[in-house]
Amino acid sequence: MKRLKATPYSLIILGLILAINITGCKPVDKKTNKETQTEKPLLKKAIAKEVKDVVYPLPTTFELTSMLNRIGADYILGISNSTENADKYFTEKARALNLGIYSADLSYASTYHRKQETMLFLKASKKIIDNLEITSAFNETLVNDVEKNLDKKEELIKIITNSFYETYAFLNKNGKANLSLFVVSGSFIEGLYIATHISENTFSNAEIVKIIFDQKDSLERLLKVLQPEAQDPNIASLITDFNGLKASYDKVNGSMTKAQLEEITASVVKLREAIVK
């Protein structure tokens, strides 16, 4: 294909955390040390899955970018939000939305194993998290863990994905549910923006068109989790914007036409530009 020009957190979670601590406090028997070492990664993986199933409302952007990677779509330099913009967001809404944007960009870069871009987006995300004063949600060892695993793509993706779940859970647990919804919304729209701009001629690639259309399900799920918080004017505004995008999706009956794809793309661009400006 052608390349584009470079251009109420729950008790379940608490129980899981306690399970880790209890496991970590058990004395180590030399005979079972090897067995214990192999159990810990499996335990962490199970916990990550529980956090995802109980708390995180949508597939992460990794799932979208991984699909694009699998079908051979190229990594496009310049498509993501510039990391230099991280300092220019001053409201909680703008910061949380762009934390979601950078989370998606981080997913994109790490999925394609772009080491330099991965570190840049990670640091931009950390900067916004610091500005939001939710640093404790951001594992203090995350940057080091990522740096140590830059050459291990699967481990890198697992580390970053877990950080998404933990941040979302932390915000909900600490009375910042609206911020968590902004983060998820930003991540969703950036993932869709990447998908709609990853090729010079998207409509000619049936696989990309299908990936874009399949995001309608995630959009509907997002609207469902936003609706209970509609008393917040900022959330209400976001719902209105996303309903506009949904209206574009709802026009698709069977196969997506080029005009319908262009309308969806235009809706995504409008939403994304309003966030990153």
Side-chain angles (χ1 to χ4, degrees), residues 182-277:
F182 289 137
V183 175
V184 173
S185 297
S187 183
F188 168 76
I189 202 66
E190 183 74 345
L192 191 49
Y193 179 82
I194 290 168
T196 53
H197 289 77
I198 203 165
S199 171
E200 287 180 327
N201 190 3
T202 302
F203 189 69
S204 67
N205 191 311
E207 291 176 300
I208 296 180
V209 173
K210 183 180 186 305
I211 288 171
I212 293 168
F213 178 72
D214 287 347
Q215 300 317 300
K216 180 182 180 182
D217 177 62
S218 290
L219 174 59
E220 291 174 345
R221 290 167 65 181
L222 179 57
L223 282 165
K224 285 181 181 179
V225 298
L226 289 172
Q227 194 59 51
E229 301 298 329
Q231 71 278 4
D232 180 331
N234 286 321
I235 296 290
S237 174
L238 206 55
I239 291 172
T240 299
D241 291 340
F242 280 128
N243 272 328
L245 176 59
K246 182 178 180 298
S248 296
Y249 266 109
D250 288 343
K251 292 178 182 179
V252 181
N253 183 16
S255 299
M256 187 184 291
T257 67
K258 186 174 183 180
Q260 289 167 339
L261 176 61
E262 289 174 349
E263 181 178 335
I264 289 170
T265 300
S267 295
V268 171
V269 169
K270 183 179 178 180
L271 279 167
R272 198 253 192 183
E273 286 183 348
I275 294 172
V276 303
K277 65 180 181 182

Side-chain angles (χ1 to χ4, degrees), residues 80-81 100-110 121 190 194 272:
S80 301
N81 190 20
I101 292 283
Y102 283 128
S103 295
D105 294 332
L106 177 58
S107 297
Y108 182 41
S110 54
F121 291 126
E190 183 74 345
I194 290 168
R272 198 253 192 183

Side-chain angles (χ1 to χ4, degrees), residues 18 63 67 69 80 95 108 110 112 157 171 194 249-250:
L18 289 173
E63 297 180 45
M67 286 188 285
N69 186 297
S80 301
R95 285 170 174 167
Y108 182 41
S110 54
Y112 280 78
I157 290 174
L171 290 171
I194 290 168
Y249 266 109
D250 288 343

Side-chain angles (χ1 to χ4, degrees), residues 13 16 20 37-54 154-155 157-159 161-163 165-166:
I13 306 303
L16 290 165
I20 294 178
Q37 288 176 341
T38 59
E39 286 176 352
K40 284 183 178 181
L42 294 175
L43 181 59
K44 289 181 179 179
K45 184 176 181 180
I47 289 168
K49 182 181 185 303
E50 288 296 334
V51 174
K52 175 185 176 183
D53 292 344
V54 175
E154 296 304 318
E155 187 64 25
I157 290 174
K158 187 189 302 182
I159 290 168
T161 300
N162 286 350
S163 76
Y165 300 152
E166 290 164 8

Side-chain angles (χ1 to χ4, degrees), residues 139-192:
N139 188 326
E140 293 183 359
T141 66
L142 181 60
V143 175
N144 287 335
D145 289 343
V146 169
E147 287 178 330
K148 290 177 183 177
N149 289 277
L150 280 174
D151 292 319
K152 304 173 184 176
K153 180 179 173 181
E154 296 304 318
E155 187 64 25
L156 182 64
I157 290 174
K158 187 189 302 182
I159 290 168
I160 296 172
T161 300
N162 286 350
S163 76
F164 295 165
Y165 300 152
E166 290 164 8
T167 300
Y168 182 86
F170 175 90
L171 290 171
N172 279 276
K173 180 184 177 183
N174 289 278
K176 296 180 180 291
N178 287 8
L179 286 186
S180 71
L181 293 176
F182 289 137
V183 175
V184 173
S185 297
S187 183
F188 168 76
I189 202 66
E190 183 74 345
L192 191 49

